Amino acid sequence: MAGRSITVVGECVADAFVEPGAARPGELALRVLPGGGPANTAVALARLGTPTRFLGRISGDPFGELFRAHLAGSGVELSGAVRAAEPSTLALAALDGDGHADYSFHAEGTADWQWTERELAAARADGSVCVHTGSLALVREPGGPRIEDLLAGVRAGATVSIDPNVRPLLVEPEAYRRRLPRWCELADLLRLSADDLALLLPDTTPEQGCDHFHRAGARLVVITLAEHGALASLDGRRVRVPAPPTPVVDTVGAGDSFTAGLLHSLAEQGFLGGRLDALTVEGLERACAFAVRVAARTVAVAGANPPWAGEL
């Protein structure tokens, strides 16, 4: 796992999609797929060929077994994952005509947020060039602050990547705003979507958002713009890449796959392992161009099903 391995910390979520027309009268048909932003990113990284370790609290219930099979089947290393007694987090998703998912979450008392200091101390990311986290596991109590402490402890040897992945139905945006200054102090790379930006900093352009997060401490800020590609800013030096024209089945997992493509390319080019001091604008543009290709392949299929390296 040495060299260019990446550790991902966070949650697994069971994405239950309503299947219109598949149920008999009086029934609701659901199709359950493994999801959760950090888990999606770990799967995408491993499929691209990056040695990937996932640190998560995975339930022993049937959903948890689904998560473990999905992660391991994609090549993710699970020795740091905790087998938790609590139930799995469930997200009920209904898709609109454009493939965008509308979620309702069932997440109280579930496994993903209950990290103890002892569990995280035993799961330190030794040797990884990057630790990526974010989403609900970083913002929910009691685990969020403990993951922040983990990030502070690994910064000496690892690049820190954070994706806030704002979920306003489950956590008020104000909670993210309160924690963002600390996250920007810890993060070398902050990746967020245009939707995240609108929730965190209303009436702010992507360029203004980049400058705001730079001032807070993040050296590299990347904002994904759906069909318009992505904007990346390295200490204020901007890169824009277009998204390839793609027929969209749904957008589930697109941002997570983008993040994985970005980190994979940065690792492959040798830029991870510290404060991004060697990163060039040319290397960043190459990484972003690869990342939008990975995201495009993900939206072209149902669910968070990122491509394998051979499919690119």
Side-chain angles (χ1 to χ4, degrees):
M1 296 288 287
R4 58 183 184 90
S5 64
I6 293 177
T7 293
V8 180
V9 184
E11 72 266 19
C12 297
V13 176
D15 288 334
F17 293 89
V18 176
E19 295 271 81
R24 293 175 295 187
E27 296 180 349
L28 178 66
L30 299 174
R31 181 185 181 209
V32 178
L33 298 174
N40 293 342
T41 301
V43 165
L45 276 166
R47 290 185 179 185
L48 292 172
T50 292
T52 304
R53 184 181 186 218
F54 182 71
L55 306 186
R57 301 187 84 261
I58 303 178
S59 176
D61 66 17
F63 294 134
E65 296 307 313
L66 174 68
F67 301 148
R68 287 182 180 273
H70 179 58
L71 288 157
S74 296
V76 178
E77 201 265 302
L78 292 174
S79 64
V82 174
R83 184 171 289 276
E86 301 88 356
S88 296
T89 303
L90 176 67
L92 184 61
L95 300 176
D96 65 19
D98 296 322
H100 296 280
D102 181 21
Y103 289 99
S104 61
F105 287 92
H106 304 266
E108 292 307 315
T110 52
D112 302 276
W113 338 122
Q114 313 303 324
W115 284 107
T116 67
E117 292 179 6
R118 178 180 295 178
E119 287 169 345
L120 283 172
R124 295 241 170 218
D126 299 329
S128 290
V129 295
C130 176
V131 176
H132 171 75
T133 188
S135 198
L136 294 167
L138 190 58
V139 78
R140 285 180 66 90
E141 302 284 351
R146 292 168 182 164
I147 295 175
E148 290 177 4
D149 291 342
L150 172 69
L151 298 179
V154 302
R155 289 188 88 244
T159 303
V160 172
S161 168
I162 292 178
D163 175 0
N165 198 14
V166 181
R167 290 286 180 257
L169 293 178
L170 199 53
V171 178
E172 287 292 330
E174 182 56 35
Y176 292 86
R177 295 188 197 108
R178 288 195 300 269
R179 302 283 275 275
L180 264 168
R182 176 60 173 156
W183 296 348
C184 288
E185 288 176 1
L186 293 168
D188 302 292
L189 191 168
L190 183 73
R191 201 292 297 183
L192 60 161
S193 69
D195 289 342
D196 292 335
L197 181 64
L199 288 165
L200 295 171
L201 298 174
D203 303 316
T204 300
T205 68
E207 290 80 7
Q208 291 169 335
C210 289
D211 291 338
H212 175 89
F213 295 122
H214 285 323
R215 288 192 295 270
R219 291 201 63 187
L220 175 57
V221 181
V222 182
I223 300 177
T224 48
L225 306 169
E227 70 273 16
H228 301 297
L231 169 69
S233 182
L234 176 62
D235 295 328
R237 292 172 289 168
R238 314 277 203 235
V239 170
R240 272 191 177 269
V241 296
T246 306
V248 176
V249 174
D250 67 50
T251 62
V252 178
D256 308 320
S257 292
F258 177 95
T259 299
L262 181 70
L263 293 175
H264 170 82
S265 181
L266 292 174
E268 196 171 54
Q269 296 181 75
F271 293 127
L272 300 183
R275 307 283 73 81
L276 302 175
D277 293 328
L279 179 59
T280 63
V281 171
E282 294 76 18
L284 176 57
E285 185 171 16
R286 178 180 175 185
C288 289
F290 180 74
V292 294
R293 287 175 54 209
V294 177
R297 290 299 299 262
T298 303
V299 301
V301 298
N305 188 16
W308 295 79
E311 297 173 355
L312 294 168

